[in-house]
Amino acid sequence: QVQLAESGGGSVQAGGSLRLSCAASAITISGNCWAWFRQAPGQEREKVASINGGGSTSYPGSMKGRFFISRDSAENTVYLQMISLKPEDTAIYYCAARAGWNCARGYSSYDYWGQGTQVTVSS
């Protein structure tokens, strides 16, 4: 059974950094699309980063330069490094996978999801 285990969330002050991890079981990091989404209360779930089956990364304009997605094939784990965090980054962050090489923008296009990890940024 495919499982995505997230870790690394927590509370930080504005300007700080966090690194989220997503350890995958029963699905390989390579060859598939992986993404991080976030959702704040009352807001839509939005993609913050993705990496396709070949390792090419993509970021929305608002995230570019602060959030970085990477993968470790040996550990079968995807990471999200976040720097210069702002209070508006406060949300539940989800790891997601889409079977196949190509990524997609919308959360409905993803096949597997982690349980989410809370990130809280205080001013």
Side-chain angles (χ1 to χ4, degrees):
Q1 181 179 348
V2 173
Q3 291 186 329
L4 280 56
E6 298 157 318
S7 62
S11 299
V12 297
Q13 293 183 338
S17 301
L18 282 175
R19 188 181 188 184
L20 308 182
S21 298
C22 177
S25 300
I27 184 172
T28 58
I29 298 300
S30 61
N32 295 296
C33 169
W34 292 83
W36 288 93
F37 288 78
R38 71 182 185 186
Q39 187 169 23
Q43 300 183 13
E44 294 185 346
R45 189 171 299 186
E46 63 173 345
K47 190 178 77 173
V48 300
S50 65
I51 183 167
N52 76 4
S56 296
T57 59
S58 181
Y59 306 92
S62 61
M63 309 299 171
K64 190 176 182 65
R66 294 197 302 121
F67 290 12
F68 308 91
I69 189 170
S70 62
R71 66 184 190 180
D72 187 324
S73 296
E75 296 187 1
N76 210 42
T77 300
V78 176
Y79 303 95
L80 181 68
Q81 179 69 55
M82 304 182 290
I83 66 171
S84 301
L85 285 164
K86 305 173 182 179
E88 50 263 45
D89 294 320
T90 296
I92 300 175
Y93 284 72
Y94 298 91
C95 177
R98 184 172 188 251
W101 188 276
N102 296 316
C103 293
R105 182 180 63 184
Y107 64 85
S108 62
S109 298
Y110 288 78
D111 302 303
Y112 307 104
W113 291 87
Q115 294 300 307
T117 183
Q118 178 71 46
V119 172
T120 302
V121 184
S122 60
S123 60

